[in-house]
């Protein structure tokens, strides 16, 4: 019986050790709080050129959607990479896309 209890205890510990890191962000937690847009700030801004909405703030990230010039966007946060490049997390403003539109509405653009 003590061997079964020890095996159960070790399997529980191994299970927690394997699942817990999945909840952490890649590369560890961010030290500073991201800049989040205030809800009472001004309205949406318009994209100044044709841009690609990307899945993450990386140059090699997959493109989720092509945004045409003049697409209304809402700024959610800014991200500055270690190499100095700035990325903006944006959301296509409501009203510019139909609710039944299957394309992603939120993603990253190179600033």
């Amino acid at each position: 019986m003590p061997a079964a209890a020890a095996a159960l205890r070790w399997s529980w510990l191994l299970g927690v050790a394997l699942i817990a890191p999945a909840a952490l962000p890649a590369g560890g937690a961010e030290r500073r709080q991201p800049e989040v847009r205030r809800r009472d700030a001004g309205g949406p801004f318009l994209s100044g050129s044709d841009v690609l909405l990307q899945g993450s703030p990386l140059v090699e990230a997959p493109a989720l959607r092509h945004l045409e010039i003049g697409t209304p966007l809402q700024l959610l946060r800014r991200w500055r990479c270690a190499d100095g490049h700035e990325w903006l997390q944006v959301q296509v403003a409501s009203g510019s896309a139909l609710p039944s539109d299957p394309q992603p509405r939120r993603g990253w653009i190179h600033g």
Side-chain angles (χ1 to χ4, degrees):
M1 193 65 163
L8 181 63
R9 185 178 308 136
W10 280 106
S11 63
W12 178 82
L13 182 62
L14 181 62
V16 170
L18 291 175
I19 294 174
L24 296 174
E30 189 176 337
R31 292 181 187 215
R32 59 187 169 110
Q33 293 293 328
E35 296 177 30
V36 178
R37 177 185 169 194
R38 294 180 186 219
R39 300 292 176 221
D40 59 350
F45 66 94
L46 302 176
S47 63
S49 62
D50 289 349
V51 293
L52 292 176
L53 191 66
Q54 294 181 277
S56 66
L58 298 171
V59 174
E60 61 272 358
L64 303 175
R65 177 179 184 174
H66 177 263
L67 300 175
E68 296 179 0
I69 189 169
T71 304
L73 302 169
Q74 292 179 328
L75 177 64
L76 301 175
R77 74 177 75 175
R78 295 174 189 257
W79 175 266
R80 187 172 302 273
C81 294
D83 61 2
H85 289 94
E86 185 175 38
W87 289 83
L88 305 173
Q89 186 181 30
V90 296
Q91 178 174 333
V92 177
S94 60
S96 65
L98 299 174
S100 61
D101 188 9
Q103 293 184 335
R105 295 185 59 210
R106 189 179 276 198
W108 294 87
I109 60 174
H110 194 266

